[in-house]
Amino acid sequence: MAVRHIALAVLVAAIWGFNFVVIRVGLDTFPPLLLTALRFVVAALPALVVRPPALPVGRMVLIGLTWFLGQFVFVFLAMSNGMPPGLASLTLQAQSFFTILIAAVALGERPAPRQIAGVLVAFCGLGLIGMSVGGDMTLIGLALTLCAAASWACGNVLMRQAGPVDMLSMVVWLSLVPPVPAFALSLAFEGWPAIAASFAHATLLSYGAVIYLAVPTTLLGFGIWGHLLKRYPAGTVAPFSLLVPLFGTLSAALVLGERFPPLRFGGMALIVCGLLVVVLPLGKWLRGLRRA
């Protein structure tokens, strides 16, 4: 992977890591389904001047439903139902392992032995996190975050099958998919009184959170991520999400004062170890040391 592309992956990780603190700020004003709709209304505004990508509408709808609507409905609901921001930033990276597994089935991308080993280690970590349910984390919050990770992984694989497209155009036009269903779900489950009250109490900080979620996180972040997925196998790109929880947990600890009990911290460490096993060619390094 080229150095400039590694740098881009790190930039995306930083943007997405801090994103979880911003989500928490947004959810303090807007209910989760409404926040999803607002995020993508803003992200879709460039569609007024950006030409649509050369891709069948059905394929775009599928990607938009998984990459955007499904992922963020689930993660916003998770964080409004007892999933702390820092822990959400880490648990959501199960998408890396789901991507490897789904790509193996759908695209025939055979996982390397170290990828399989990394998946097993990380799922042990998820098990430890599941055992730490209680206090500031709920079981429903954990389950919804894993649903978000699975939806993101499906979108990753669909993107791999999309063929060569302009990624900025792709992200902008994919952003047209979530607003209507998200707003319809908001009306049905959150209700008009809650929607009206959130706008009545919204501040500049609230709208700033929406803009951050729409512009750096969605347009810039997913534009770069999709570009990398078009150039490299899914199993090469997805593990760079390892850095997202690093930025996410640090920002949650510094800004929100989030803390992690020992069992949960152990689970987080195992997930990070699993990601390291997946992304780093440890076997090649060891063989090089033996030859040296």
Side-chain angles (χ1 to χ4, degrees), residues 32-255:
L33 297 172
L34 177 63
L35 183 60
T36 305
L38 292 175
R39 171 188 189 150
F40 289 106
V41 165
V42 176
L45 289 177
L48 296 171
V49 294
V50 174
R51 294 172 63 106
L55 197 68
V57 173
R59 170 70 62 175
M60 288 186 63
V61 170
L62 283 175
I63 297 173
L65 290 175
T66 53
W67 226 31
F68 285 169
L69 180 67
Q71 179 186 171
F72 292 106
V73 162
F74 282 128
V75 80
F76 287 5
L77 285 171
M79 291 181 61
S80 64
N81 284 277
M83 192 65 174
L87 188 58
S89 73
L90 179 70
T91 308
L92 189 60
Q93 303 322 309
Q95 65 84 18
S96 176
F97 311 115
F98 290 143
T99 298
I100 291 169
L101 296 175
I102 295 170
V105 174
L107 305 182
E109 292 184 3
R110 186 176 178 181
R114 63 185 173 87
Q115 291 177 319
I116 296 172
V119 168
L120 293 176
V121 170
F123 272 107
C124 290
L126 287 173
L128 283 183
I129 289 174
M131 292 169 61
S132 74
V133 167
D136 62 342
M137 186 183 77
T138 63
L139 183 59
I140 184 64
L142 177 61
L144 287 167
T145 306
L146 291 176
C147 288
S151 187
W152 184 359
C154 289
N156 284 343
V157 174
L158 287 167
M159 276 299 304
R160 286 280 296 154
Q161 297 175 303
V165 293
D166 178 78
M167 282 314 305
L168 176 60
S169 171
M170 184 74 164
V171 172
V172 168
W173 280 80
L174 288 178
S175 296
L176 289 169
V177 175
V180 172
F183 189 70
L185 289 170
S186 181
L187 277 175
F189 293 101
E190 294 165 345
W192 179 251
I195 294 172
S198 66
F199 281 111
H201 294 94
T203 64
L204 288 177
L205 185 61
S206 308
Y207 290 116
V210 172
I211 291 170
Y212 183 94
L213 295 174
V215 181
T217 303
T218 303
L219 295 178
L220 180 61
F222 276 93
I224 294 173
W225 189 258
H227 172 72
L228 294 175
L229 281 170
K230 300 307 297 179
R231 294 183 64 92
Y232 300 100
T236 299
V237 177
F240 275 92
S241 60
L242 165 67
L243 296 175
V244 174
L246 172 63
F247 291 108
T249 53
L250 283 176
S251 59
L254 292 173
V255 178

